[in-house]
PDB file of all heavy atoms in Angstrom:
ATOM      1  N   TRP A 375      -8.810 -40.483 -20.105  1.00 94.00           N
ATOM      2  CA  TRP A 375      -8.152 -39.214 -19.916  1.00 94.00           C
ATOM      3  C   TRP A 375      -9.230 -38.140 -19.726  1.00 94.00           C
ATOM      4  O   TRP A 375     -10.350 -38.297 -20.178  1.00 94.00           O
ATOM      5  CB  TRP A 375      -7.205 -38.840 -21.004  1.00 94.00           C
ATOM      6  CG  TRP A 375      -7.760 -38.735 -22.408  1.00 94.00           C
ATOM      7  CD1 TRP A 375      -7.819 -39.726 -23.344  1.00 94.00           C
ATOM      8  CD2 TRP A 375      -8.378 -37.579 -22.965  1.00 94.00           C
ATOM      9  NE1 TRP A 375      -8.419 -39.257 -24.465  1.00 94.00           N
ATOM     10  CE2 TRP A 375      -8.781 -37.953 -24.286  1.00 94.00           C
ATOM     11  CE3 TRP A 375      -8.649 -36.290 -22.549  1.00 94.00           C
ATOM     12  CZ2 TRP A 375      -9.417 -37.070 -25.152  1.00 94.00           C
ATOM     13  CZ3 TRP A 375      -9.263 -35.394 -23.399  1.00 94.00           C
ATOM     14  CH2 TRP A 375      -9.629 -35.786 -24.668  1.00 94.00           C
ATOM     15  N   GLY A 376      -8.851 -37.058 -19.036  1.00 95.00           N
ATOM     16  CA  GLY A 376      -9.862 -36.032 -18.840  1.00 95.00           C
ATOM     17  C   GLY A 376      -9.288 -34.768 -18.219  1.00 95.00           C
ATOM     18  O   GLY A 376      -8.098 -34.696 -17.868  1.00 95.00           O
ATOM     19  N   GLY A 377     -10.132 -33.764 -18.130  1.00 94.00           N
ATOM     20  CA  GLY A 377      -9.736 -32.482 -17.445  1.00 94.00           C
ATOM     21  C   GLY A 377     -10.952 -31.943 -16.745  1.00 94.00           C
ATOM     22  O   GLY A 377     -11.915 -32.672 -16.505  1.00 94.00           O
ATOM     23  N   GLN A 378     -10.863 -30.609 -16.427  1.00 92.00           N
ATOM     24  CA  GLN A 378     -12.002 -30.063 -15.656  1.00 92.00           C
ATOM     25  C   GLN A 378     -12.733 -29.002 -16.429  1.00 92.00           C
ATOM     26  O   GLN A 378     -12.119 -28.274 -17.261  1.00 92.00           O
ATOM     27  CB  GLN A 378     -11.439 -29.396 -14.407  1.00 92.00           C
ATOM     28  CG  GLN A 378     -11.192 -30.402 -13.310  1.00 92.00           C
ATOM     29  CD  GLN A 378     -11.184 -29.744 -11.943  1.00 92.00           C
ATOM     30  OE1 GLN A 378     -10.758 -28.611 -11.823  1.00 92.00           O
ATOM     31  NE2 GLN A 378     -11.643 -30.438 -10.958  1.00 92.00           N
ATOM     32  N   VAL A 379     -14.034 -28.936 -16.262  1.00 94.00           N
ATOM     33  CA  VAL A 379     -14.811 -27.849 -16.790  1.00 94.00           C
ATOM     34  C   VAL A 379     -15.056 -26.900 -15.638  1.00 94.00           C
ATOM     35  O   VAL A 379     -15.508 -27.324 -14.564  1.00 94.00           O
ATOM     36  CB  VAL A 379     -16.150 -28.365 -17.378  1.00 94.00           C
ATOM     37  CG1 VAL A 379     -16.924 -27.212 -18.021  1.00 94.00           C
ATOM     38  CG2 VAL A 379     -15.954 -29.502 -18.368  1.00 94.00           C
ATOM     39  N   THR A 380     -14.832 -25.599 -15.833  1.00 95.00           N
ATOM     40  CA  THR A 380     -15.043 -24.631 -14.754  1.00 95.00           C
ATOM     41  C   THR A 380     -16.514 -24.573 -14.389  1.00 95.00           C
ATOM     42  O   THR A 380     -17.396 -24.775 -15.242  1.00 95.00           O
ATOM     43  CB  THR A 380     -14.516 -23.225 -15.095  1.00 95.00           C
ATOM     44  OG1 THR A 380     -14.983 -22.902 -16.354  1.00 95.00           O
ATOM     45  CG2 THR A 380     -13.013 -23.150 -15.006  1.00 95.00           C
ATOM     46  N   ALA A 381     -16.794 -24.274 -13.097  1.00 95.00           N
ATOM     47  CA  ALA A 381     -18.165 -24.295 -12.630  1.00 95.00           C
ATOM     48  C   ALA A 381     -18.959 -23.097 -13.105  1.00 95.00           C
ATOM     49  O   ALA A 381     -20.154 -23.190 -13.448  1.00 95.00           O
ATOM     50  CB  ALA A 381     -18.176 -24.373 -11.130  1.00 95.00           C
ATOM     51  N   ASP A 382     -18.344 -21.920 -13.152  1.00 95.00           N
ATOM     52  CA  ASP A 382     -19.062 -20.760 -13.574  1.00 95.00           C
ATOM     53  C   ASP A 382     -18.058 -19.676 -14.107  1.00 95.00           C
ATOM     54  O   ASP A 382     -16.854 -19.991 -14.250  1.00 95.00           O
ATOM     55  CB  ASP A 382     -19.949 -20.143 -12.487  1.00 95.00           C
ATOM     56  CG  ASP A 382     -19.240 -19.549 -11.296  1.00 95.00           C
ATOM     57  OD1 ASP A 382     -18.176 -18.935 -11.497  1.00 95.00           O
ATOM     58  OD2 ASP A 382     -19.680 -19.719 -10.114  1.00 95.00           O
ATOM     59  N   PHE A 383     -18.579 -18.494 -14.392  1.00 96.00           N
ATOM     60  CA  PHE A 383     -17.715 -17.488 -15.062  1.00 96.00           C
ATOM     61  C   PHE A 383     -16.647 -16.923 -14.193  1.00 96.00           C
ATOM     62  O   PHE A 383     -15.670 -16.405 -14.715  1.00 96.00           O
ATOM     63  CB  PHE A 383     -18.570 -16.373 -15.699  1.00 96.00           C
ATOM     64  CG  PHE A 383     -19.575 -15.784 -14.777  1.00 96.00           C
ATOM     65  CD1 PHE A 383     -19.246 -14.695 -14.016  1.00 96.00           C
ATOM     66  CD2 PHE A 383     -20.838 -16.329 -14.629  1.00 96.00           C
ATOM     67  CE1 PHE A 383     -20.168 -14.124 -13.161  1.00 96.00           C
ATOM     68  CE2 PHE A 383     -21.772 -15.789 -13.777  1.00 96.00           C
ATOM     69  CZ  PHE A 383     -21.439 -14.683 -13.032  1.00 96.00           C
ATOM     70  N   ARG A 384     -16.791 -17.016 -12.849  1.00 95.00           N
ATOM     71  CA  ARG A 384     -15.760 -16.440 -12.029  1.00 95.00           C
ATOM     72  C   ARG A 384     -14.400 -17.179 -12.153  1.00 95.00           C
ATOM     73  O   ARG A 384     -13.398 -16.571 -12.455  1.00 95.00           O
ATOM     74  CB  ARG A 384     -16.204 -16.292 -10.564  1.00 95.00           C
ATOM     75  CG  ARG A 384     -17.211 -15.195 -10.418  1.00 95.00           C
ATOM     76  CD  ARG A 384     -17.922 -15.261  -9.098  1.00 95.00           C
ATOM     77  NE  ARG A 384     -18.730 -16.494  -9.028  1.00 95.00           N
ATOM     78  CZ  ARG A 384     -19.326 -16.929  -7.930  1.00 95.00           C
ATOM     79  NH1 ARG A 384     -19.263 -16.229  -6.798  1.00 95.00           N
ATOM     80  NH2 ARG A 384     -20.043 -18.037  -7.921  1.00 95.00           N
ATOM     81  N   PRO A 385     -14.412 -18.509 -11.982  1.00 94.00           N
ATOM     82  CA  PRO A 385     -13.111 -19.190 -12.192  1.00 94.00           C
ATOM     83  C   PRO A 385     -12.685 -19.160 -13.681  1.00 94.00           C
ATOM     84  O   PRO A 385     -11.491 -19.008 -13.945  1.00 94.00           O
ATOM     85  CB  PRO A 385     -13.365 -20.603 -11.684  1.00 94.00           C
ATOM     86  CG  PRO A 385     -14.820 -20.799 -11.634  1.00 94.00           C
ATOM     87  CD  PRO A 385     -15.416 -19.434 -11.394  1.00 94.00           C
ATOM     88  N   ARG A 386     -13.631 -19.314 -14.583  1.00 96.00           N
ATOM     89  CA  ARG A 386     -13.269 -19.370 -16.026  1.00 96.00           C
ATOM     90  C   ARG A 386     -12.557 -18.040 -16.442  1.00 96.00           C
ATOM     91  O   ARG A 386     -11.589 -18.069 -17.200  1.00 96.00           O
ATOM     92  CB  ARG A 386     -14.503 -19.642 -16.873  1.00 96.00           C
ATOM     93  CG  ARG A 386     -14.363 -19.319 -18.355  1.00 96.00           C
ATOM     94  CD  ARG A 386     -13.364 -20.208 -19.087  1.00 96.00           C
ATOM     95  NE  ARG A 386     -13.170 -19.872 -20.478  1.00 96.00           N
ATOM     96  CZ  ARG A 386     -12.316 -18.978 -20.943  1.00 96.00           C
ATOM     97  NH1 ARG A 386     -11.535 -18.277 -20.132  1.00 96.00           N
ATOM     98  NH2 ARG A 386     -12.221 -18.771 -22.242  1.00 96.00           N
ATOM     99  N   PHE A 387     -13.105 -16.926 -15.975  1.00 97.00           N
ATOM    100  CA  PHE A 387     -12.529 -15.661 -16.435  1.00 97.00           C
ATOM    101  C   PHE A 387     -11.757 -14.932 -15.308  1.00 97.00           C
ATOM    102  O   PHE A 387     -11.549 -13.745 -15.403  1.00 97.00           O
ATOM    103  CB  PHE A 387     -13.650 -14.751 -16.971  1.00 97.00           C
ATOM    104  CG  PHE A 387     -14.151 -15.204 -18.345  1.00 97.00           C
ATOM    105  CD1 PHE A 387     -15.371 -15.740 -18.512  1.00 97.00           C
ATOM    106  CD2 PHE A 387     -13.320 -15.118 -19.438  1.00 97.00           C
ATOM    107  CE1 PHE A 387     -15.833 -16.190 -19.774  1.00 97.00           C
ATOM    108  CE2 PHE A 387     -13.721 -15.518 -20.693  1.00 97.00           C
ATOM    109  CZ  PHE A 387     -15.012 -16.097 -20.851  1.00 97.00           C
TER     110      PHE A 387
END
Side-chain angles (χ1 to χ4, degrees):
W375 61 265
Q378 279 203 326
V379 183
T380 46
D382 67 39
F383 50 91
R384 287 165 298 172
R386 164 65 182 88
F387 285 111

